[in-house]
Amino acid sequence: MADFELYKYQEEVVERALKGENIIIWLPTGGGKTRAAVYVAKRHLETTANAKVVVLVNMVHLVDQHYSKEFKPHLGSLYNLIKVSGVSEEKDFFGKVVQRNDVIICTAQILYNALIDKEEAKHVELSDITLLIIDECHHTHKEAVYNKVMRCYMEKKLKGERQLPQILGLTASPGTGGARILEDAVEHVLEICANLDSAIVSTKNYEPELMKKVPRPVKTFDIVEKRHADPLGDHLKWMMLQIHDFMNLPRDARLRQCGTQEYEADVVILEQRGVRENNRLVAQCALHLRQYNDALLINDTLRMMDAYRSLEEFYDSKTTTAMDGTDFFLLGLFEENQVELRKLAADSHFENPNMAKLESVLLQQFGPSVKSRGILFSKTRQSTRCLFDWVLKSRALQTAGVKAAILTGAGNGITYMTQNEQAETIRRFRQGDLNLLISTSVAEEGLDIPECNLVVRYGLLTNEIAQQQASGRARAVDSQYSVVARADGKEVRRERINEDLEVLTAKAIAAVQRMTQQDFRRKISSLQNEAVIINKILETKKMEKRARFQASSIRLLCRNCFQPVASGSDIRLLEKAHFVNINPDFKNHFKVGGQVVLPRSFEDWEPGCRISCNNGNCNKEWGFQMKYKKAIILPNMAICNFALETPGERMTVKKWKDVPFAVEDFNFEQYCQDHHPDLFD
């Protein structure tokens, strides 16, 4: 492969990495961080005996992107490269994969699993790696998987082990970690440096060249005047008050203003309280109030009909699941008001003015003879679908030649995209078949999306890192970065704060870079030792929490009808990921629904059918069956759909890691002996 050149500012930021130092490269989105990393990797492979480069990314779709767009073209003719993610069969033999290849590009979870796995074919030691490149390395904090990988590194470093990989981190912004003053922001940047055992570098001598390569877009606040009247919103709030009265709201319950994120947080807590106190009336009313609040939030940012349809979809699923007077009241309230709600939602005189302003912003950049390319950022997958439908139905936008598509995160379920769908959407955008992406935050970070001349942030409250990454997508000359928001809205205030935090981040980094080598090393060493102690304390607390109760003393109840359905001792952890019920009597408590379809296959299991509570009309979805080793069918349970009855209290948890009892590992042979003893006669 012919050598490739870097810009002068890139040469400056890789200088210390080429000397073997641990470095974080800080460059803006579009500044060529990945290209600089490829250059460091190439030089490392050329100059290091038995070199082994591992590139870590935090999202699955970035594995193929880094492999195909950067590392393969520049290193593929000279070295063995491979990409590995959760959808790759190679992950099951990752130890062998690392041995056989020079450059491995993978998700961080794959490497972390290999570091803690004792099985020879899967296990990897950090000493096997000579250069570890960490993309979007500002995520190396708290319980993020990057930080778990680096804890393995730190453990070995503090024990005095010398054979550790060189670290190269890449970030567009480490952020301030929530800090508002310089001293605390400096501390946050130092913590990121300590977690990565690295110094942070940026260009000092070639800033004009960097600014020319990555021009800043023109930022506009496209302010929407307040709605003159909102009869749909008023009617929804009136219905919420009827529910408040019906549920006899506990005196000490706190519910803030309807139609806000704060109200949503309050009703989430209220639902949990209802479950804890065996009060189904409160729990169910809280769940329905959350749906009404969602409709109000949608009414604030999208079309009135989108708000109405969100409620209609919710109640469509409730018509066959009414169990008691609470359910009949809530269902009846919606049905009695449904015609009026639909009529109000269809009245164009009161349509959300945000939509007209958004249309105006788009029409300023798009036209039949104008070649524009833009990204419209919105908060949720649901909002991207509504905005896409709006674009298709807008005669003005269609006449202007807007060709839109949705871009959301990869995952399972109908609201997610597969990796292939993501790649195809970006390919069509790059080729010009599409000129507007309607995206969640997935397009802010890392994705190789071509230069845009318009970026719009619509109804978003995010931090300064996300703002800088989104802004960095508008890289074309004379590009526009638009914030569409209400005059009195939180979005404008948040955007202004983020601007100040961006400046604060730069000041904090500069302060860290001015530290003497001795002071920097002393501070980093202190933070690393402190982190190890804190982590040990937290791990001890976790173990104590898991050991609070015997598994046999815990009962699992359906979160909807409160029917006891399982014991904690029935649960086993399968392949470190799936919590399954091994009690054959559990099948008496659920009914089997439609087939689960996932966009990938797995080594030892395949999805079966959905399972839901069969207590009368409950029908609460619990999880799905999984066929393991083509031999046995096990119910895979989502703990968020259950309540836990402990000897001390009733409680709810979001994730299995938070349950107050230890879950045994699944033993296939033992299971077969217990449930199919005839096979062992």
Side-chain angles (χ1 to χ4, degrees), residues 362-373:
L362 293 172
L363 288 173
Q364 286 169 26
Q365 292 283 355
F366 289 94
S369 58
V370 182
K371 284 195 172 180
S372 282
R373 187 181 270 151

Side-chain angles (χ1 to χ4, degrees), residues 141-156:
H141 64 102
K142 298 182 180 175
E143 291 306 302
V145 67
Y146 279 167
N147 214 24
K148 292 179 180 179
V149 169
M150 287 307 298
R151 279 181 194 150
C152 297
Y153 171 103
M154 215 58 66
E155 239 177 68
K156 293 179 180 297

Side-chain angles (χ1 to χ4, degrees), residues 82-290:
I82 192 166
K83 55 180 179 176
V84 186
S85 68
V87 300
S88 316
E89 291 181 4
E90 288 87 354
K91 75 179 187 301
D92 300 315
F93 308 96
F94 192 66
K96 301 291 184 188
V97 166
V98 170
Q99 287 174 23
R100 289 194 295 262
N101 290 276
D102 304 307
V103 180
I104 302 95
I105 302 166
C106 65
T107 49
Q109 191 67 50
I110 298 287
L111 177 61
Y112 180 66
N113 290 347
L115 291 173
I116 61 175
D117 203 309
K118 303 304 178 196
E119 194 178 323
E120 187 180 347
K122 296 182 180 181
H123 183 66
V124 171
E125 284 287 343
L126 278 171
S127 56
D128 300 334
I129 304 165
T130 55
L131 173 63
L132 185 61
I133 299 173
I134 302 179
D135 189 38
E136 309 293 355
C137 69
H138 50 272
H139 293 296
T140 312
H141 64 102
K142 298 182 180 175
E143 291 306 302
V145 67
Y146 279 167
N147 214 24
K148 292 179 180 179
V149 169
M150 287 307 298
R151 279 181 194 150
C152 297
Y153 171 103
M154 215 58 66
E155 239 177 68
K156 293 179 180 297
K157 181 197 169 185
L158 296 176
K159 284 178 184 173
E161 293 187 28
R162 297 195 172 276
Q163 206 172 338
L164 289 169
Q166 178 187 350
I167 305 296
L168 177 63
L170 311 174
T171 185
S173 174
T176 66
R180 293 289 190 270
I181 61 173
L182 182 59
E183 184 182 355
D184 293 344
V186 167
E187 188 75 8
H188 170 73
V189 173
L190 284 167
E191 283 175 8
I192 296 291
C193 290
N195 291 344
L196 287 155
D197 198 34
S198 300
I200 187 165
V201 298
S202 55
T203 183
K204 301 294 182 190
N205 303 319
Y206 299 99
E207 282 192 28
E209 182 190 47
L210 175 59
M211 291 302 103
K212 188 177 177 183
K213 172 75 170 61
V214 191
R216 298 278 293 195
V218 175
K219 186 170 189 174
T220 61
F221 286 95
D222 293 292
I223 301 301
V224 183
E225 292 309 312
K226 197 171 182 181
R227 236 174 180 154
H228 68 276
D230 182 16
L232 176 65
D234 292 342
H235 198 80
L236 290 170
K237 289 174 184 175
W238 175 82
M239 293 173 72
M240 293 168 81
L241 288 175
Q242 306 309 301
I243 299 174
H244 287 183
D245 291 343
F246 175 76
M247 71 194 291
N248 194 16
L249 194 66
R251 285 189 177 182
D252 58 342
R254 180 190 182 203
L255 291 180
R256 283 167 284 187
Q257 186 181 346
C258 296
T260 63
Q261 298 290 350
E262 290 80 11
Y263 183 91
E264 179 176 329
D266 292 340
V267 291
V268 166
I269 291 168
L270 189 62
E271 186 272 339
Q272 293 168 350
R273 175 176 174 172
V275 173
R276 280 199 315 273
E277 296 178 356
N278 197 29
N279 189 334
R280 190 172 185 275
L281 167 65
V282 166
Q284 287 303 303
C285 286
L287 281 175
H288 286 247
L289 285 169
R290 184 175 181 180

Side-chain angles (χ1 to χ4, degrees), residues 270-513:
L270 189 62
E271 186 272 339
Q272 293 168 350
R273 175 176 174 172
V275 173
R276 280 199 315 273
E277 296 178 356
N278 197 29
N279 189 334
R280 190 172 185 275
L281 167 65
V282 166
Q284 287 303 303
C285 286
L287 281 175
H288 286 247
L289 285 169
R290 184 175 181 180
Q291 293 298 323
Y292 280 96
N293 197 64
D294 281 350
L296 284 174
L297 291 170
I298 293 168
N299 185 50
D300 261 357
T301 50
L302 300 164
R303 296 168 298 184
M304 295 187 294
M305 194 54 76
D306 295 322
Y308 167 74
R309 284 185 184 132
S310 72
L311 274 179
E312 187 179 52
E313 285 176 20
F314 174 73
Y315 280 100
D316 277 350
S317 68
K318 295 292 179 185
T319 52
T320 59
T321 61
M323 293 185 63
D324 58 20
T326 299
D327 297 326
F328 289 118
F329 167 79
L330 293 166
L331 186 58
L333 179 67
F334 176 74
E335 289 176 343
E336 287 164 16
N337 288 273
Q338 187 170 6
V339 172
E340 180 66 14
L341 288 173
R342 188 174 182 87
K343 179 183 161 191
L344 292 171
D347 190 340
S348 59
H349 291 97
F350 303 104
E351 189 52 275
N352 187 351
N354 288 29
M355 307 307 294
K357 177 61 75 173
L358 178 58
E359 184 177 74
S360 168
V361 169
L362 293 172
L363 288 173
Q364 286 169 26
Q365 292 283 355
F366 289 94
S369 58
V370 182
K371 284 195 172 180
S372 282
R373 187 181 270 151
I375 304 178
L376 170 56
F377 284 107
S378 191
K379 185 179 179 183
T380 64
R381 291 186 297 277
Q382 180 186 26
S383 63
T384 62
R385 294 196 304 276
C386 294
L387 287 167
F388 176 67
D389 181 67
W390 168 74
V391 168
L392 291 181
K393 290 176 178 171
S394 166
R395 190 174 301 167
L397 293 176
Q398 291 305 304
T399 303
V402 174
K403 299 186 288 286
I406 293 169
L407 181 66
T408 59
N412 303 323
I414 58 171
T415 62
Y416 288 90
M417 298 181 80
T418 65
Q419 279 180 263
N420 289 339
E421 287 170 340
Q422 279 186 340
E424 176 63 11
T425 298
I426 293 168
R427 184 192 67 77
R428 292 180 64 209
F429 187 62
R430 184 174 288 111
Q431 289 184 346
D433 299 336
L434 302 169
N435 55 18
L436 180 68
L437 292 180
I438 303 172
S439 179
T440 53
S441 59
V442 68
E444 287 173 348
E445 185 172 271
L447 270 180
D448 179 27
I449 292 170
E451 293 178 351
C452 297
N453 59 306
L454 176 65
V455 166
V456 182
R457 283 167 70 75
Y458 186 72
L460 281 175
L461 289 169
T462 54
N463 64 19
E464 72 280 10
I465 297 176
Q467 177 183 304
Q468 288 171 66
Q469 288 171 329
S471 172
R473 292 296 170 199
R475 299 203 291 267
V477 178
D478 299 326
S479 57
Q480 179 189 355
Y481 173 83
S482 164
V483 179
V484 177
R486 295 262 172 87
D488 59 346
K490 291 181 178 178
E491 295 90 347
V492 174
R493 293 198 297 276
R494 181 73 235 190
E495 202 76 17
R496 295 293 191 198
I497 290 169
N498 285 343
E499 290 171 0
D500 295 337
L501 292 176
E502 185 178 346
V503 173
L504 185 61
T505 300
K507 286 181 178 177
I509 292 170
V512 169
Q513 291 172 336

